[in-house]
Amino acid sequence: MAKVETFCESPRFRGTCYRAANWRHLGRTGGFARQPGPTPRWRHHGQPKEVYVYELQPDARARLSQPADEPDWLSPPKLSPPPSCELRSLYDFLGDVPEFRSAHGKRYPLQTVLAAAVSARMAGYRGVTAFGQFAKLLSQEQLASLDCFYSPSRQCYTPPSTTTFHRILADLPPDTLQEALSAWCEHLSAEPEPLPQPAAASVPTVLAPVPAVAMDGKDIRGASKQTEQGRRMMVAAVQQGSGQVLGQVETESKSNEIPAVRRLARSLRLAGKVVTMDALHAQHRTARCLLKECAADYLVTAVKDNQPTILDELKDRDFSDGPHVETLEKSHGRIERRRYSVKDLSDKQWDGYAHLHGRQMAVRVERERTLVKSGKRSFEVSYALTSLSPERVTPRQLAALIRGHWEIENRLHYVRDFTYDEDRCRAYVRGLPQNLAGLTNAAVSLIRCRTRFPYLPVANRHFAARTDEALELILTPPQQR
């Protein structure tokens, strides 16, 4: 950092302390403020502020005038964004879903029904009955923008009915919808940066954040109760940090989420990323799939009794001689202290020890939890394995990856259960549960990546009152709003 800046509101303050401390006065702002909302709008409030800067280094002006702010080893080159002519909206990607209906009696394009369902999900509507009610509330201009059917007898645009939503979402092959949504997610998100390489000895090592994807399964309880074959479980992939849902698949009948994770990983672009998983996926076939087929790394956030040999070997090992990092968090009425101790297992002397294909390091996680009101304390220890080497990731980054894996529970599974009431939904016919979950994932990703709402219920109430903005997010490309 070469300079710092501050603002001083005038005429209430004159900035005397800043001037006395050798801060430089650059001028005044224009007196505009950004209004909240997904569309950038600026309002002139007529209260400009004085801008002051302070040079932290003698050559600050020369450093800031350089063409590159950071050396090549610190910031890997990023791919340039696609040209404006190649930018596509979610509505365009929904048009890539193959048509499965016959031409007889077809009034509404497939992308029209899917776009209306996504916009209804953004407004907080649940289920196909609510989708039909939402479509009836749209104005003629909104129905025309979605390319709805124009009735010559009524001389107006007609919205899709509840029966239309139910029939299409039940018969639509879920894989085709998920393929279009995954392609849209790749188009919406930035290209993943490669994991940084170790710097020269004479230059301080500063590693960039590691791109990570969390994978886990969720049982759709309402649909499972109505299905005779067994559970209806969906395995999803969520990008850590942004909370964007990259894709999902349904587990096969009489199977579990272990092979579904490998099937989902093969369908996504995971090269250069780290996939975080729970204890169930500490499997050799899953590790080989991620390392060899997907060119990605893995991090098993917990090793439990499903791998007893690995767990016993990790318990017998001393982690005190390796690097460690400690964290402290206070939230939800409790104080949690965590200590992450890292053990390098890349040397040949550890061959066959805690054997999981491609593992490079092990992490011992000690959690001490104290309830603020009662003062009750609890202590637990868990172990993690990763294919990342010590040269590519620091202990603090490992701690952030392990902690960030819970985003898929907090930012997706919890949202689908409580915000969209998925577990109480009794829809179970054919592909209806998976398609409804895919539309929910699309709405969640759209809200999080193109708006700035702190919580999804706030966004749902906003778009329920402003359906124009919800349709605008669906119909316009990401960088042309």
Side-chain angles (χ1 to χ4, degrees):
M1 182 182 293
K3 285 186 177 181
V4 292
E5 65 178 11
T6 186
F7 300 91
C8 182
E9 184 177 355
S10 61
R12 296 180 58 190
F13 305 99
R14 298 183 179 180
T16 305
C17 295
Y18 293 114
R19 296 176 185 271
N22 294 327
W23 287 64
R24 293 191 179 185
H25 178 256
L26 296 185
R28 287 188 171 188
T29 62
F32 287 86
R34 189 182 188 278
Q35 292 181 336
T39 304
R41 294 186 177 91
W42 301 88
R43 176 180 59 86
H44 186 265
H45 53 64
Q47 297 179 355
K49 297 182 179 180
E50 307 289 341
V51 183
Y52 292 90
V53 297
Y54 185 81
E55 297 182 1
L56 300 179
Q57 299 179 5
D59 56 343
R61 183 174 300 180
R63 285 174 174 267
L64 294 176
S65 61
Q66 291 179 358
D69 294 338
E70 297 176 343
D72 296 336
W73 61 266
L74 185 58
S75 295
K78 297 182 179 180
L79 298 179
S80 58
S84 58
C85 59
E86 299 180 5
L87 294 176
R88 302 178 64 194
S89 63
L90 174 59
Y91 186 77
D92 297 331
F93 280 94
L94 293 177
D96 297 338
V97 178
E99 181 61 71
F100 65 95
R101 300 170 294 173
S102 62
H104 178 70
K106 183 175 63 176
R107 290 187 173 185
Y108 300 95
L110 193 59
Q111 64 182 148
T112 296
V113 179
L114 296 177
V118 174
S119 59
R121 271 295 202 229
M122 294 176 62
Y125 286 76
R126 309 168 182 174
V128 291
T129 303
F131 292 169
Q133 296 173 354
F134 173 83
K136 291 182 180 180
L137 298 177
L138 298 179
S139 64
Q140 287 294 302
E141 292 78 7
Q142 294 170 342
L143 294 176
S145 65
L146 290 175
D147 196 16
C148 288
F149 173 73
Y150 183 81
S151 175
S153 59
R154 300 180 184 179
Q155 295 186 354
C156 65
Y157 292 94
T158 59
S161 63
T162 299
T163 305
T164 302
F165 281 108
H166 187 278
R167 183 176 63 253
I168 290 179
L169 294 179
D171 296 336
L172 175 66
D175 294 339
T176 60
L177 175 61
Q178 188 55 52
E179 183 179 353
L181 295 178
S182 298
W184 168 70
C185 289
E186 294 177 1
H187 183 78
L188 183 63
S189 61
E191 290 290 337
E193 298 180 3
L195 291 178
Q197 300 297 328
S202 59
V203 183
T205 304
V206 180
L207 298 181
V210 182
V213 176
M215 289 189 180
D216 196 11
K218 177 186 179 299
D219 183 16
I220 303 181
R221 300 177 183 177
S224 298
K225 293 179 181 179
Q226 305 294 323
T227 307
E228 297 180 357
Q229 297 89 336
R231 303 170 64 186
R232 301 292 296 269
M233 177 171 288
M234 306 294 174
V235 178
V238 175
Q239 184 175 357
Q240 290 192 20
S242 66
Q244 181 181 353
V245 185
L246 303 180
Q248 76 168 8
V249 295
E250 184 176 1
T251 60
E252 298 179 356
S253 178
K254 298 181 181 180
S255 181
N256 55 26
E257 57 184 278
I258 296 178
V261 163
R262 296 194 288 266
R263 183 155 49 96
L264 177 60
R266 295 187 185 102
S267 65
L268 301 177
R269 297 176 58 182
L270 299 176
K273 297 183 179 181
V274 180
V275 178
T276 61
M277 307 170 292
D278 56 17
L280 182 63
H281 305 287
Q283 308 287 334
H284 290 283
R285 293 185 59 184
T286 303
R288 292 191 188 97
C289 174
L290 294 174
L291 291 174
K292 296 182 178 180
E293 300 182 31
C294 303
D297 289 279
Y298 68 83
L299 172 60
V300 180
T301 58
V303 179
K304 296 183 179 180
D305 294 335
N306 63 323
Q307 294 288 354
T309 303
I310 298 178
L311 181 59
D312 292 339
E313 291 177 350
L314 292 176
K315 288 181 178 179
D316 295 339
R317 182 54 49 191
D318 183 17
F319 284 78
S320 60
D321 56 345
H324 67 275
V325 63
E326 296 183 0
T327 61
L328 176 64
E329 293 183 7
K330 182 178 180 182
S331 61
H332 304 288
R334 60 179 181 264
I335 301 175
E336 292 191 14
R337 299 179 183 271
R338 301 181 183 88
R339 179 184 175 91
Y340 301 86
S341 303
V342 182
K343 186 72 174 180
D344 185 6
L345 303 178
S346 59
D347 194 83
K348 292 184 178 180
Q349 63 175 332
W350 303 111
D351 289 349
Y353 173 81
H355 182 56
L356 184 64
H357 180 79
R359 63 99 182 93
Q360 295 290 327
M361 290 190 295
V363 185
R364 174 187 168 95
V365 185
E366 302 175 4
R367 300 181 181 89
E368 181 182 356
R369 178 180 300 176
T370 304
L371 300 181
V372 177
K373 289 186 177 180
S374 62
K376 183 179 179 180
R377 294 187 178 183
S378 61
F379 183 81
E380 61 180 0
V381 179
S382 63
Y383 298 89
L385 286 176
T386 180
S387 62
L388 294 170
S389 61
E391 294 80 12
R392 303 171 63 194
V393 67
T394 63
R396 187 166 295 277
Q397 287 178 327
L398 276 177
L401 290 174
I402 295 175
R403 186 61 176 162
H405 176 71
W406 290 101
E407 289 189 13
I408 192 171
E409 295 287 347
N410 300 332
R411 307 191 69 186
L412 180 63
H413 295 171
Y414 182 87
V415 167
R416 283 165 53 176
D417 283 345
F418 290 91
T419 303
Y420 294 101
D421 210 9
E422 184 178 81
D423 278 353
R424 291 202 303 170
C425 179
R426 301 173 65 88
Y428 70 97
V429 179
R430 298 183 292 279
L432 185 56
Q434 187 172 352
N435 287 329
L436 288 177
L439 296 176
T440 303
N441 296 338
V444 171
S445 300
L446 194 60
I447 291 174
R448 285 187 174 147
C449 295
R450 298 189 60 185
T451 62
R452 294 295 182 267
F453 291 101
Y455 305 104
L456 285 175
V458 179
N460 294 153
R461 292 189 289 268
H462 176 86
F463 290 122
R466 301 171 179 84
T467 54
D468 285 337
E469 296 185 8
L471 295 177
E472 181 184 1
L473 292 176
I474 297 174
L475 298 175
T476 58
Q479 297 183 12
Q480 289 186 353
R481 294 173 50 250

